[in-house]
Amino acid sequence: MGKLSEFEMIAKHFAPLAERFANGVLDSFGLRDDAAVFACASDEEWVVTKDMIVEGIHFLPDDPPASVAKKLLRVNLSDLAAKGAAPSHYLLATAWPTSADDAWVAEFARGLGEDQELFGIGLLGGDTVSTTGPATFSLTAFGTVKTGTMIRRAGAQVGDKIYVSGTIGDAFIGLQLLKGQLSVSAAGDRDFLVNRYRVPHPRLDLTDLLRQTAHAAIDVSDGLLADLDHLCRASRAGARVNLESLPVSPAAQACIDAGTAVREDLARGGDDYEVLFTASPTLSLPNDVTPIGTVIGQEGLWAGTGEGPLSPLDSAGFRHF
Amino acid sequence: MGKLSEFEMIAKHFAPLAERFANGVLDSFGLRDDAAVFACASDEEWVVTKDMIVEGIHFLPDDPPASVAKKLLRVNLSDLAAKGAAPSHYLLATAWPTSADDAWVAEFARGLGEDQELFGIGLLGGDTVSTTGPATFSLTAFGTVKTGTMIRRAGAQVGDKIYVSGTIGDAFIGLQLLKGQLSVSAAGDRDFLVNRYRVPHPRLDLTDLLRQTAHAAIDVSDGLLADLDHLCRASRAGARVNLESLPVSPAAQACIDAGTAVREDLARGGDDYEVLFTASPTLSLPNDVTPIGTVIGQEGLWAGTGEGPLSPLDSAGFRHF
């Protein structure tokens, strides 16, 4: 680092993010203690999720630092949204290479600060170290649910419809654009698709709907089919999916029409951070929630519609190794 | 990695560590969900701490994997001990280089499993990713205290005695031995000192004593003087320290006698994972807790005894950057 000591970095960039919790049932002690404390209401449980991201693997070296910070936070909030939990606070561990400069850290912290305001949460504690490798960040996010109401992956019932929020495949195309593996003619489409990769929108707006209706839920991070496979395995069931009904954005549809994207690949791409859930087939749904299939007793993923014949679907999504 | 996929690694090595929490007020869902849940008693608060360690910085590439895992867990438990908290569970995020093999991961998980039994805790959740850099691990540990009783860094009162548990400087010498910067003649001394570096013993045996007596506490990780400085700054006080009273082990004393270690360096070395606390000067103490100084109104750290003259002490401990 060479510019700020770890203590100066914490005091300058991260302690202000912890001011929200100077007192009360959550206390960060201004990041000047070894630990933080938090209580919980007697009728609630904490839901906790922890993700780690590595430069060059989960984000690109020239991604804007504020969007790296936002993505780190939001992928965790996306997990909370799919579980029906209301976000509360987070812990952050950061490992910085010597090449990281103060301006990068300042932008990273600014991104977190903006999202704290947007989502009404705050930093409660963490750790700051150096690394000889790529920048590596680990974030632990906490949310609350009424006791016993966390929506699980397990719980899908045969006959449930399978629903997905938003549109699928935008981030997959956005990453290809950033890597120069693909191009689109409309600048607006490019910005939209790249932004879908860089700054996901956790579907916290769906939390009430999910609490009221979902039998099982998961956020789409590894890829729609891979995550559907996770959900089905946990529920000891299978799924019949109609990929023709996959919701795609106008920008992604333009790529399909131009022959530069294949609908089935979009269902394997990942990084969508939409919510996939199963519920009663008679559900009345918001506009941007789309039924894409049905939970069936036969394990595995199958392509097919209605009572037609089934053919096996390969779920392969993103794997680290 | 090349041998196991991330999902296979989780299922084989880490899911068994989460079995403790298959049901009840804590539920890991066998690491097969996106999140875990935990409740808390109405008269308790959660104390949470999060540390990150990086190969080549916090541990050496040829350190035994089981001891790396134990140190990672124990440095967090040491924080909980100093705060008067009873450990409950932990989250673990791991980033693996391609060179990590299954045997290393298996040994790492075995170390965690042994310590889970020893400390009566378990794995509740986490994340597993790949990295192009050194192995990097982040652990978040949770403990409980009765509401409002977490022992803080702030709270030292002028006139308090300053106490430290165990012996100081063993790990500092142990690290020098591992790096080949120092040698000791007695093999037993070498084993003792190296083990003090590799596998600290969080002072959970002192939790009751601390709850009953400590006005302020911190665990000794950056170095005794650096951590005393942290405690004094948080308490807006200073300290008069008699380094001649610093408790050292027979193995460390042998190094001092041989002229290969300097007492004052041991107070700056770090990695001791003992507890430093302030309390009434009339306290009746266990054998391995030693008074080393007094809290004074004059800010800063000062060398001196009784009413004699004070000279400033440089607190410089380990800094990441």
Side-chain angles (χ1 to χ4, degrees), chain A residues 112-154:
Chain A
L112 288 176
E114 283 184 5
D115 267 10
Q116 288 194 182
E117 290 306 310
L118 186 60
F119 298 110
I121 60 173
L123 175 64
L124 195 68
D127 197 12
T128 303
V129 302
S130 59
T131 180
T132 54
T136 302
F137 308 119
S138 173
L139 193 142
T140 306
F142 299 80
T144 53
V145 291
K146 294 292 174 194
T147 300
T149 67
M150 188 190 102
I151 305 161
R152 299 180 53 174
R153 290 184 183 181

Side-chain angles (χ1 to χ4, degrees), chain B:
Chain B
M1 183 68 55
K3 287 106 191 169
L4 295 181
S5 78
E6 61 185 290
F7 303 116
E8 290 166 337
M9 185 194 283
I10 293 166
K12 179 175 174 187
H13 296 304
F14 295 116
L17 298 174
E19 277 171 9
R20 181 182 290 267
F21 300 128
N23 280 300
V25 293
L26 303 108
D27 200 331
S28 70
F29 305 107
L31 304 187
R32 285 183 298 273
D33 212 305
D34 305 291
V37 294
F38 58 103
C40 79
S42 57
D43 61 342
E44 290 184 343
E45 288 173 326
W46 289 104
V47 176
V48 61
T49 182
K50 180 181 179 77
D51 278 334
M52 187 178 244
I53 65 171
V54 179
E55 182 183 340
I57 291 177
H58 304 81
F59 64 96
L60 304 173
D62 55 355
D63 278 341
S67 80
V68 173
K70 288 180 181 184
K71 185 162 184 175
L72 170 63
L73 184 59
R74 291 175 182 212
V75 299
N76 283 283
L77 298 185
S78 177
D79 280 323
L80 294 182
K83 303 291 107 181
S88 164
H89 58 277
Y90 67 101
L91 305 172
L92 175 66
T94 57
W96 300 96
T98 49
S99 59
D101 64 17
D102 189 49
W104 206 99
V105 184
E107 274 296 292
F108 182 87
R110 185 181 65 76
L112 287 176
E114 284 184 4
D115 267 9
Q116 287 194 181
E117 290 305 311
L118 186 60
F119 297 110
I121 61 173
L123 175 64
L124 195 69
D127 197 13
T128 303
V129 302
S130 59
T131 179
T132 54
T136 303
F137 308 119
S138 173
L139 193 141
T140 306
F142 299 80
T144 53
V145 290
K146 293 293 174 192
T147 300
T149 67
M150 189 189 101
I151 305 161
R152 300 181 51 173
R153 290 185 182 180
Q157 298 162 18
V158 173
D160 278 359
K161 266 197 182 164
I162 299 163
Y163 302 94
V164 68
S165 66
T167 58
I168 293 298
D170 301 320
F172 174 68
I173 299 174
L175 176 58
Q176 289 180 298
L177 290 170
L178 284 172
K179 287 181 166 177
Q181 296 166 344
L182 191 71
S183 64
V184 294
S185 46
D189 281 359
R190 183 187 160 88
D191 289 348
F192 169 81
L193 294 164
V194 164
N195 205 44
R196 285 279 283 162
Y197 170 73
R198 282 189 169 152
V199 187
H201 287 265
R203 299 305 303 263
L204 294 161
D205 59 310
L206 296 179
T207 304
D208 281 343
L209 174 76
L210 292 170
R211 285 176 186 151
Q212 289 159 20
T213 65
H215 297 156
I218 189 171
D219 75 322
V220 183
S221 54
D222 291 337
L224 180 115
L225 290 177
D227 290 311
L228 179 57
D229 192 47
H230 297 324
L231 183 151
C232 285
R233 284 173 191 267
S235 300
R236 293 164 194 251
R240 185 181 67 226
V241 181
N242 176 12
L243 285 178
E244 290 306 310
S245 63
L246 191 76
V248 295
S249 66
Q253 186 62 52
C255 293
I256 295 172
D257 294 343
T260 54
V262 175
R263 184 175 293 267
E264 206 168 302
D265 290 344
L266 303 188
R268 297 201 178 90
D271 258 340
D272 297 295
Y273 299 102
E274 296 292 342
V275 177
L276 181 72
F277 65 102
T278 82
S280 158
T282 59
L283 209 58
S284 170
L285 290 168
N287 270 341
D288 79 338
V289 173
T290 307
I292 58 161
T294 304
V295 178
I296 62 176
Q298 188 174 353
E299 295 191 10
L301 302 189
W302 306 89
T305 56
E307 299 304 313
L310 298 175
S311 59
L313 260 177
D314 174 13
S315 69
F318 180 76
R319 291 183 178 204
H320 276 286
F321 42 82

